[in-house]
Amino acid sequence: MHDAPFLLARVHLPEERTTSFIYQRFGANVSAMDGSVFSFQRAGEPVNAYAWWETLDPEVIGRGGHGVIRIVPMTPDLWTHLKPGTSLTMTHERLHAQVTQSLMENQA
């Protein structure tokens, strides 16, 4: 999973959330079904795209905190236009993220 194209985004866990923290790590405890649907704009149209993600820094993001997540898209071509500063919504988690490193910067 780590050799697949990925991008980085900054996420905030609001103080008023009932969830006290978020944490997700690729490996034995995260399967292909443990991804999320991310929503963003492409050519002025809304896109919902599936991707796997994991927390990076800090590994556990507490209520009221910020952190960086690594996002590995299932269909990378839908994500290539996203540049730093672009807003994403993690639809199931109802969290907002902002791209800090685009997918193109990670391709060798």
Side-chain angles (χ1 to χ4, degrees), residues 23-87:
Y23 165 81
Q24 189 156 300
R25 177 65 64 209
F26 294 144
N29 296 330
V30 178
S31 71
M33 297 304 293
D34 291 324
S36 296
V37 175
F38 288 79
S39 182
F40 49 86
Q41 293 285 316
R42 181 177 176 168
E45 297 292 323
V47 173
N48 289 325
Y50 189 82
W52 297 278
W53 63 276
E54 68 178 339
T55 51
L56 282 182
D57 183 29
E59 198 167 288
V60 176
I61 302 168
R63 191 183 294 140
H66 296 267
V68 175
I69 60 173
R70 178 195 323 254
I71 301 169
V72 179
M74 188 172 199
T75 50
D77 7 336
L78 289 176
W79 299 71
T80 56
H81 71 288
L82 299 177
K83 303 292 179 223
T86 305
S87 294

